Amino acid sequence: MKQFIHIVLLSVLFSGALQAQRSGESRKRGGFSLSGLSSPTSMPADSLVSDSTKLNSKRITAFRLTDKIGDTYIAPMDTNRMNYYNSTLVEGKSVAIGYLGNLGSPLQSKIFSERKEERDFIFADAYDYYLTTPTNANFFDTKIPYSNLMYTTMGGSTQKEEQLKGTLTSNFGKKVNVGADLDYIYGRGYYNSNGTKLLSYRLFGNYISDRYQMYAYLANSNFVNFENGGITNDRYITNPDDYTDGRRVTDTKNIPVRYSNTWNRVRGKQFFVSHRYNLGFMRTTEGTDEDGDPKEEFVPVSSIIHTLEYKDNRRRFITHDAAGVDSSYVNNYIEGSVNDTTSYWSIKNTFALSLREGFQDWAKFGLTAFINIDKSRYRLMDSIPRNKYIYDEVSTFVGGELSKRQGSILTYVARGELGIVGPDAGEFRLTGELKSSFPLFRKEASIKAVGYIKNLTPAFYQRHYHSKYFWWDYKLKNIQRVYAGAEVNLESTRTNLSAGVESIQNYVYFNTQGTPDQFESNLQVITARLKQDFRFGAFNWENEAVYQLSSEKKILPLPQLSLYSNMYLGVKLAKVLTLQLGADVHYHTSYYAPYYQPATQQFQLQDEVEVGNYPLINAYANLHLKQARFFVMFYNVGSKFVDPEYFSLPHYPLNPMSMKMGISVTFND
């Protein structure tokens, strides 16, 4: 009966996703009205990769796949009793992050080491934390049906931000698991023309047996956000009693913005499947089965692997405020109204042969060779209406991986791939990770070294883009990136320390005019990060500090120091209720943060205003009772007693002080 209930919930969740999708599409084409409005792709950070046939020791296990090869590793599940409130905030995604103030709006980490390689479809980069990819998608193996539903809300009726998120999954026998997840964000925004509506959903499943394993999902996303270009005068925030027009605005909705009735829509479809056939032998183990015969287990020796990924992305920038938008741009490459469109699809096939680690005592490492074929098509606008520029690209890569993931004294992963055919010929990536773990004061300690050498072809839309206000076809040189870093983790003292240096040649960025540019000299970035937690009985103090130094601050501006501190009391009441009371703060030094450009959805350089030197303070009560987590928090309480400089990006202020509430319920029986 319980399994039947979970199946019904699964159907309802998927039907709701389809209905929300259809309702968005049923509106007038391109229309979006606030009145209609109701989380590096390289290897895992640690050596947890393991054989998926052994992921059955827990009642519920979540796992993810490595890039291209599709090896499985255990993924942490969202079950933390503490700090649940923080996971629902945009600021919770990084110690320092820049966004447009509204939940679901475009964002970029201010920590350079957290930024990933640009996609060819660069318009999706601004939504990176909300997109499902083959390397962040969860798969499950459950002995009991599992579901988790989460809802959060903040603000009044005209500014309310809401998020509904859920996962439902169940095994059908020992080998088959199916499920669905949904993420729906609906933010009206505290500022005029700043609404967001993000819908993404996924159907997934996996089949796991000794000989054959398969993981697949079908995902869809539809992201819409109003674009206001930022407020017209920062003094409405910084000097609320001294406006240039001599009047006071008490409602943030009345603060003038650069444009209205303007929006971006980014849509995406994705199909992914990774499967393998294992070759091996049966080995007798200790003990007997139910019939009294000796137990046997299958030992995989090698694997034949195939991975297929299909993506279809579309982007549209449109406005009914032509006069206001036109006044912001110098060039008009296309006559008529603003209705910029572009689309892209790609299909990638990866074939691999793998020799498995540990099938005999002498097999101390695993070895994999692969070939990847990628075909892409891009459609760009022409100055002649209804005409399109079509670009087809086909690239072939070959590569290999050497790894040792079993044991703790020494593990390593080394991977290399080289483009041999097509526009990416000559592109290569060499990445490596070496880790050693050992006990220290009866708890685990580890030392890890990481590094890479890359020669990258600039993203397609950095080389080609056609629209009303921006038009470029550039021949950009390949980007060379070299990185070396190390990390020390001490559980006994709750200390994590990491540092690294990266050297970049031919760095590609968006200049102050909003077009791609290339810095052909050498650029270095030094990063050091310290996480230090303290606990004294019920008192807890969590801290994180990131130091960054860019050798070319005019080309790559970064906050030199970013801090996060969380101080709270954690107690258990009546042996069932966990209560967390505290406050946290985000802070970074001021710097010339990039400006978000709505017409390209990119973060471009600016040298007019600095952002930072403001503490974002939140006070909260976080509770856990049996299978439910819930919280109440006051966001940005510092705005009431600290000089109001709360800008996340130039001309894009954070939300003023607001109350936020949320609840997450897990059903796993």
Side-chain angles (χ1 to χ4, degrees), residues 65-215:
L65 307 180
T66 60
D67 185 36
K68 295 185 177 66
I69 298 175
D71 287 329
T72 55
Y73 66 97
I74 297 174
M77 297 186 66
D78 182 20
T79 57
N80 291 334
R81 298 184 179 187
M82 300 297 185
N83 300 326
Y84 164 59
Y85 76 96
N86 192 48
S87 66
T88 69
L89 295 175
V90 177
E91 289 82 5
K93 303 179 185 301
S94 174
V95 65
I97 201 162
Y99 67 113
L100 311 190
N102 195 8
L103 181 66
S105 60
L107 73 171
Q108 182 186 58
S109 175
K110 298 180 180 181
I111 309 302
F112 183 72
S113 60
E114 295 177 352
R115 299 179 189 175
K116 301 176 183 177
E117 292 180 18
E118 291 83 0
R119 297 172 172 83
D120 281 320
F121 191 76
I122 59 176
F123 312 105
D125 289 342
Y127 301 99
D128 184 69
Y129 288 92
Y130 302 107
L131 288 171
T132 298
T133 68
T135 53
N136 70 19
N138 281 352
F139 296 91
F140 296 88
D141 185 11
T142 68
K143 290 181 169 59
I144 54 176
Y146 169 82
S147 58
N148 178 268
L149 297 175
M150 180 269 280
Y151 174 76
T152 64
T153 180
M154 181 171 77
S157 59
T158 60
Q159 304 95 9
K160 185 176 292 186
E161 297 178 358
E162 297 176 286
Q163 182 175 17
L164 175 64
K165 193 172 183 179
T167 299
L168 302 173
T169 183
S170 178
N171 267 43
F172 294 85
K174 295 182 179 180
K175 299 178 181 180
V176 178
N177 176 276
V178 297
D181 49 35
L182 166 74
D183 190 3
Y184 182 62
I185 296 175
Y186 189 30
R188 296 152 181 82
Y190 276 76
Y191 303 93
N192 189 32
S193 300
N194 193 35
T196 60
K197 182 179 180 181
L198 276 64
L199 171 66
S200 61
Y201 58 88
R202 179 178 66 115
L203 296 175
F204 60 85
N206 45 266
Y207 176 92
I208 302 174
S209 68
D210 290 341
R211 295 283 183 177
Y212 180 72
Q213 300 160 25
M214 184 271 291
Y215 315 90

Side-chain angles (χ1 to χ4, degrees), residues 360-430:
Q360 293 289 358
D361 292 340
W362 52 267
K364 300 297 184 181
F365 57 84
L367 184 63
T368 303
F370 64 87
I371 180 170
N372 173 258
I373 303 171
D374 182 1
K375 176 176 174 56
S376 303
R377 171 167 289 185
Y378 307 84
R379 293 180 178 269
L380 303 181
M381 296 178 66
D382 192 355
S383 56
I384 301 175
R386 293 183 294 278
N387 280 12
K388 296 290 184 181
Y389 285 89
I390 298 177
Y391 292 82
D392 287 319
E393 294 188 348
V394 180
S395 297
T396 301
F397 290 82
V398 295
E401 180 181 280
L402 178 69
S403 62
K404 180 182 181 299
R405 297 183 173 111
Q406 298 179 12
S408 60
I409 297 177
L410 182 66
T411 58
Y412 56 82
V413 177
R415 175 185 285 196
E417 58 180 305
L418 172 66
I420 57 174
V421 176
D424 294 323
E427 176 174 301
F428 66 83
R429 294 173 178 82
L430 297 174

Side-chain angles (χ1 to χ4, degrees), residues 303-318:
S303 300
I304 303 171
I305 305 166
H306 172 237
T307 297
L308 169 68
E309 181 186 3
Y310 172 78
K311 293 185 293 185
D312 186 332
N313 293 103
R314 301 172 186 274
R315 185 250 178 175
R316 189 183 191 195
F317 174 63
I318 192 170

Side-chain angles (χ1 to χ4, degrees), residues 1-12 145 147 168 669:
M1 175 62 69
K2 291 181 179 179
Q3 190 176 47
F4 174 75
I5 293 174
H6 278 262
I7 295 173
V8 173
L9 288 173
L10 183 67
S11 302
V12 172
S147 58
L168 302 173
D669 54 17

Side-chain angles (χ1 to χ4, degrees), residues 273-531:
V273 60
S274 178
H275 56 141
R276 64 176 62 203
Y277 185 78
N278 299 319
L279 304 173
F281 60 90
M282 301 301 295
R283 179 168 56 194
T284 302
T285 62
E286 295 181 359
T288 58
D289 58 19
E290 296 177 354
D291 298 327
D293 298 324
K295 284 186 177 181
E296 291 187 328
E297 67 174 0
F298 177 75
V299 179
V301 175
S302 60
S303 300
I304 303 171
I305 305 166
H306 172 237
T307 297
L308 169 68
E309 181 186 3
Y310 172 78
K311 293 185 293 185
D312 186 332
N313 293 103
R314 301 172 186 274
R315 185 250 178 175
R316 189 183 191 195
F317 174 63
I318 192 170
T319 184
H320 295 309
D321 178 25
V325 176
D326 281 346
S327 63
S328 301
Y329 301 101
V330 176
N331 299 311
N332 283 294
Y333 294 101
I334 298 177
E335 296 299 326
S337 61
V338 182
N339 187 8
D340 296 341
T341 60
T342 188
S343 64
Y344 144 86
W345 63 260
S346 77
I347 184 168
K348 298 180 181 180
N349 278 283
T350 302
F351 302 90
L353 294 175
S354 174
L355 181 67
R356 306 290 288 269
E357 174 189 357
F359 66 89
Q360 293 289 358
D361 292 340
W362 52 267
K364 300 297 184 181
F365 57 84
L367 184 63
T368 303
F370 64 87
I371 180 170
N372 173 258
I373 303 171
D374 182 1
K375 176 176 174 56
S376 303
R377 171 167 289 185
Y378 307 84
R379 293 180 178 269
L380 303 181
M381 296 178 66
D382 192 355
S383 56
I384 301 175
R386 293 183 294 278
N387 280 12
K388 296 290 184 181
Y389 285 89
I390 298 177
Y391 292 82
D392 287 319
E393 294 188 348
V394 180
S395 297
T396 301
F397 290 82
V398 295
E401 180 181 280
L402 178 69
S403 62
K404 180 182 181 299
R405 297 183 173 111
Q406 298 179 12
S408 60
I409 297 177
L410 182 66
T411 58
Y412 56 82
V413 177
R415 175 185 285 196
E417 58 180 305
L418 172 66
I420 57 174
V421 176
D424 294 323
E427 176 174 301
F428 66 83
R429 294 173 178 82
L430 297 174
T431 62
E433 174 188 309
L434 180 68
K435 181 179 180 181
S436 178
S437 300
F438 50 91
L440 181 66
F441 303 119
R442 298 183 180 180
K443 293 189 177 181
E444 183 178 291
S446 64
I447 301 176
K448 182 169 63 176
V450 293
Y452 57 71
I453 302 174
K454 300 179 181 181
N455 182 50
L456 306 175
T457 304
F460 176 86
Y461 283 100
Q462 291 179 335
R463 293 176 279 134
H464 305 282
Y465 180 59
H466 302 166
S467 68
K468 181 176 177 62
Y469 303 118
F470 293 94
W471 191 295
W472 63 73
D473 290 285
Y474 294 151
K475 291 185 177 181
L476 301 176
K477 297 180 180 179
N478 276 17
I479 307 163
Q480 289 81 43
R481 303 183 64 166
V482 180
Y483 175 82
E487 179 181 335
V488 177
N489 186 63
L490 305 175
E491 288 189 5
S492 57
T493 60
R494 303 177 183 272
T495 304
N496 181 278
L497 176 63
S498 60
V501 58
E502 182 165 13
S503 178
I504 308 174
Q505 191 84 20
N506 298 328
Y507 174 68
V508 176
Y509 61 97
F510 281 79
N511 58 31
T512 55
Q513 286 74 46
T515 58
D517 208 340
Q518 194 159 37
F519 184 71
E520 297 187 2
S521 298
N522 194 264
L523 183 155
Q524 291 88 32
V525 180
I526 298 174
T527 305
R529 185 190 297 253
L530 173 64
K531 295 182 181 180

